[in-house]
Amino acid sequence: MIVFDKLKIRDALTEENVFELLHEWGGDPVPAPFGYICATICHNPPGEGSRKLYYYTNTGLFKCYTGCNAYFDIFELVTKVADIQWSKEFDLNDAVRWIAQRFGFSGELEDGSEEESLDDWKFLANYERIQDISLKDNSILLKEYDPTILERFNYDVKIGPWLREGIAQEAMERSMIGFYPGGDQITIPHFDADGRFIGLRGRTLCAEEGERFGKYRPMKINGTLYNHPLGMNLYNFNNSKNNIELMKTAIIFEGEKACLLYKSYFGLDNDISVACCGSSISAYQTQMLLDCGVNEIVIAFDRQFQEIGDQEFKHLKTNLIRFREKYKNFVTVSFIFDKNKITDYKSSPIDHGPETFLQLFKERIVL
Ligand SMILES: [Zn+2]
């Protein structure tokens, strides 16, 4: 039995995580001096309540000023949302587990030892879109959205900020990167391995908003939220899977933009990049690559540490080692690890151009 420490997990949740959840649940959060204001998804289905649910960052508590008229924490909100939106009866433990698994926090076994691996099936069983997910030959078929929405974005406009960062126009075209003037957002469609349109994420160009809320979010247009369980797919796999199969190697980045940079620098025909769209790789994502016959998985995560040995460094190292332990019998796992700190804090190894990337790649750690 795996137990999660509620307080530890609440502490580990960032403001951005909370925002992401509120957004995902249709609460339509907006910033306020004290935190966020959003719709009362605590007692209403999304789109129906008034904007009377407040989140206070200093206490980590919500207050609903109408129906509930009470303070509660994120876990209680999960149980409320589970009831209203997923017709599921969650107790506190279910809620804590759901949050932990949603963000990839690990728990502890009851005897105090660390948990071996997260059970992705439990995660799936509780996931809000379970009704949209069906099993097909042991793989998961995510709900397909109507791709005609993609025709409404602007593809003629050159996306200046990204071109300046080194992303080639042809890389953007291959990945159908567009622009949605209504939201002042760069549009990033997500496709499954077979090219089905399963999600749409937006990168806001408003710097201030981007800083505060995390730069990438599922997009909501005309009442449809184009979200998908990120851990159940690999971004760009539809474009790179043939090369991955051929070269028997895959590079996993955290974010979509890294894949765009990779293929810009090394060519669309050499693209072996995917993005896990987060800072952890799910068992399902790994299996997608193993099924493709890879001999090596190169993990190319962001430099999420300031100094060698600091708290973030330890966290990153633990995660990477855990990943390797889990899969070492099936595949060679290597890590790009910027131990000499030649890239900036929080940047992807591809952010500083092809030469830096190649240097880091050559120096990757094969444990
Ligand atoms: Zn309420």
Side-chain angles (χ1 to χ4, degrees):
M1 175 72 184
I2 296 157
V3 285
F4 292 97
D5 184 327
K6 173 182 156 171
L7 290 177
K8 264 192 206 161
I9 287 169
R10 204 170 88 180
D11 286 347
L13 270 186
T14 63
E15 244 179 272
E16 287 76 22
N17 293 151
V18 172
F19 183 92
E20 205 180 315
L21 291 175
L22 293 173
H23 180 76
E24 227 174 81
W25 295 335
D28 197 17
V30 294
F34 52 81
Y36 310 127
I37 297 175
C38 75
T40 47
I41 48 172
C42 42
H43 65 275
N44 289 299
E48 292 186 11
S50 59
R51 306 187 59 78
K52 287 287 177 194
L53 178 61
Y54 287 25
Y55 175 71
Y56 297 93
T57 43
N58 61 342
T59 56
L61 292 176
F62 293 88
K63 184 168 186 191
C64 166
Y65 286 93
T66 57
C68 311
N69 193 26
Y71 284 101
F72 43 85
D73 66 10
I74 185 74
F75 303 112
E76 208 178 326
L77 184 58
V78 174
T79 65
K80 290 166 182 281
V81 169
D83 178 38
I84 297 168
Q85 300 191 22
W86 318 328
S87 304
K88 285 202 190 299
E89 212 173 296
F90 268 29
D91 62 17
L92 176 64
N93 284 332
D94 297 327
V96 174
R97 178 181 289 273
W98 189 92
I99 291 276
Q101 292 177 344
R102 170 69 173 69
F103 293 104
F105 302 135
S106 56
E108 287 180 347
L109 292 169
E110 264 178 340
D111 62 11
S113 64
E114 222 165 283
E115 176 199 358
E116 190 59 40
S117 65
L118 287 174
D119 188 334
D120 287 295
W121 291 104
K122 288 226 178 76
F123 164 80
L124 251 191
N126 287 340
Y127 197 81
E128 57 181 293
R129 284 185 60 202
I130 185 69
Q131 60 271 53
D132 299 329
I133 294 169
S134 56
L135 274 172
K136 189 188 142 203
D137 311 328
N138 240 349
S139 68
I140 287 156
L141 201 59
L142 296 175
K143 177 186 161 186
E144 185 174 17
Y145 291 107
D146 181 356
T148 55
I149 185 77
L150 298 174
E151 294 165 13
R152 296 175 36 191
F153 304 138
N154 193 334
Y155 299 97
D156 303 324
V157 55
K158 299 261 186 284
I159 297 169
W162 281 17
L163 290 171
R164 282 193 291 280
E165 285 178 53
I167 297 174
Q169 186 65 27
E170 62 164 0
M172 286 201 249
E173 280 164 16
R174 169 68 66 94
S175 299
M176 296 181 72
I177 303 298
F179 184 70
Y180 175 51
D184 200 19
Q185 277 169 312
I186 296 172
T187 53
I188 309 163
H190 283 233
F191 302 94
D192 70 5
D194 299 319
R196 295 162 63 253
F197 173 52
I198 52 162
L200 179 65
R201 299 223 293 163
R203 161 67 161 92
T204 175
L205 286 177
C206 168
E208 197 181 308
E209 208 187 325
E211 280 309 306
R212 195 172 166 103
F213 304 122
K215 290 166 179 169
Y216 300 85
R217 303 189 221 143
M219 291 185 64
K220 189 179 181 181
I221 299 170
N222 293 339
T224 302
L225 183 62
Y226 292 89
N227 65 338
H228 70 291
L230 295 171
M232 296 296 124
N233 191 51
L234 283 166
Y235 177 76
N236 195 50
F237 189 60
N238 58 315
N239 293 316
S240 60
K241 65 176 178 178
N242 291 339
N243 296 329
I244 290 173
E245 213 170 320
L246 213 67
M247 298 184 212
K248 300 202 173 299
T249 303
I251 302 176
I252 307 185
F253 292 104
E254 289 191 28
E256 296 99 324
K257 212 170 73 181
C259 292
L260 298 171
L261 282 169
Y262 188 88
K263 66 178 107 187
S264 301
Y265 294 147
F266 303 112
L268 301 185
D269 296 339
N270 300 309
D271 185 14
I272 52 168
S273 70
V274 294
C276 59
C277 301
S279 50
S280 63
I281 302 164
S282 72
Y284 190 80
Q285 290 172 325
T286 311
Q287 195 58 49
M288 285 173 77
L289 296 177
L290 294 177
D291 289 346
C292 206
V294 289
N295 292 333
E296 181 178 352
I297 293 177
V298 183
I299 301 180
F301 274 11
D302 298 353
R303 194 194 128 196
Q304 188 63 49
F305 62 91
Q306 308 246 33
E307 299 299 333
I308 303 290
D310 68 13
Q311 208 51 45
E312 286 186 308
F313 175 91
K314 284 179 191 151
H315 183 74
L316 182 63
K317 195 174 120 185
T318 307
N319 282 345
L320 293 177
I321 289 174
R322 187 178 296 162
F323 184 86
R324 192 201 69 117
E325 285 307 305
K326 200 167 160 187
Y327 298 106
K328 65 178 178 189
N329 295 331
F330 307 102
V331 68
T332 300
V333 177
S334 62
F335 312 112
I336 287 185
F337 212 82
D338 183 12
K339 57 184 184 301
N340 298 317
K341 298 186 284 182
I342 59 174
T343 62
D344 295 335
Y345 177 50
K346 289 192 174 186
S347 61
S348 163
I350 195 89
D351 282 351
H352 292 252
E355 290 79 20
T356 305
F357 180 81
L358 282 176
Q359 184 185 340
L360 291 168
F361 183 79
K362 271 184 221 138
E363 295 168 354
R364 74 189 182 280
I365 299 168
V366 185
L367 287 167

